[in-house]
Each structure stands twice: as structure tokens, then as C-alpha cells.
Amino acid sequence: TNIDGPLSRFDTMQKDNPPLRPAAVKALVVIQAIFAFVGMMSAYGMLASPSGEGMGLEHLRDDLPVDDFTLVGLFFLAFYGILPAVAAYGLWTRKRWSWTEPINKWTGQHWSWTATAALGIVLILWIIAEVYFLGILDGIGGALQAGMSILGVLLLAMVMLPSVKSATKPQD
């Protein structure tokens, strides 16, 4: 098994041709890259202004189960910034490392597939927790709650597409 080098159906390309990737995989990469950018910007806003004032969120602080937005910002950085960026990188490059092999074996899919599915689940669970603690928000906040819920379901649906599952099947 070639762990560190390129391996997959993506690598079945001829000279001067780009790797073959299903449209759904390309869409997942783009969605997660955009999500990573937005997640990192949101995390920055919360960590730079833990009171929430910098992002106009101070009115929500009393309903939080924590004192300020520091932990929320760290959560956003990890799960909405870094996770989708790493998953998008993995979907695009199909890079494998020895530490990702247990994940590949556990799911029967490339680790980036598992990370993408996990992101969908995290999005849905986050919105459930947010609605529990804060209720359905008014205005743009409510629209973001609905949008993130739809995005979570969309990510889960897309990773289950036969073209995505086939393209992210580890090659030994």
C-alpha cells in the first residue's frame, strides 16, 4: 500500500489531463472551502471580541451556557474552520497518512469522506443545540440556522452519492 503517495481513481489520468473527479466531489470541495473561510472568520470575530459586541451578538450572551464566546469561537475554529479545510484538502488530493488508516478501515472510505460526513453531523447537532439554548433566532440569525441545517443535510446526502462513495473508496 502506498500511504504517502497519490492513490485512487483520481490518479488514473493521462499525461497533461487533470485528475478525474466526479462533479459531486468537486462541489463538496468548494462547499467546504467556502465554509472553512466563513468558519475561520466567525471564529476570529468571536475570539477577538469574546463579549460578542464585535459581531453584534452581545444580546445572546445571557442565554449561552458559558460566560462568553471564547469556547464558541474555538469550536468554530476547530469544526467550522479547520475540519472543512482539511476535509476539502483530503477530498481533492486523496492524501493518505499512516495515522488516517484506522479511519479508512473503520468506514471503508477515505478519511476525507468520513470527515465530510462528520461535518454534516456536527452542523446538524450544533443547530439543534443552538435552538435549544437560544431558540430560533430572528432575521439573519434564523436564516443562518436554517441554512446551516440544510447544509448539514446536504453534506450528508452528498457523501452518500454512489459517485462520491466510489471516488473516495481507499485503494490498496
Side-chain angles (χ1 to χ4, degrees), residues 29-114:
V29 169
V30 170
I31 290 167
Q32 290 188 105
I34 293 168
F35 197 65
F37 176 77
V38 172
M40 287 187 190
M41 293 298 99
S42 298
Y44 173 77
M46 291 179 202
L47 294 172
S49 178
S51 68
E53 291 177 43
M55 293 181 66
L57 301 174
E58 64 276 2
H59 65 284
L60 299 175
R61 200 173 55 232
D62 291 339
D63 296 324
L64 291 177
V66 292
D67 293 332
D68 62 25
F69 286 94
T70 301
L71 289 177
V72 177
L74 291 172
F75 179 88
F76 271 50
L77 179 63
F79 290 99
Y80 293 167
I82 296 169
L83 177 62
V86 171
Y89 170 80
L91 284 172
W92 193 257
T93 65
R94 299 279 302 169
K95 185 81 173 158
R96 287 172 68 174
W97 298 284
S98 58
W99 64 270
T100 63
E101 286 307 300
I103 298 168
N104 297 345
K105 286 180 176 42
W106 178 58
T107 63
Q109 295 296 135
H110 190 264
W111 63 266
S112 60
W113 179 92
T114 307

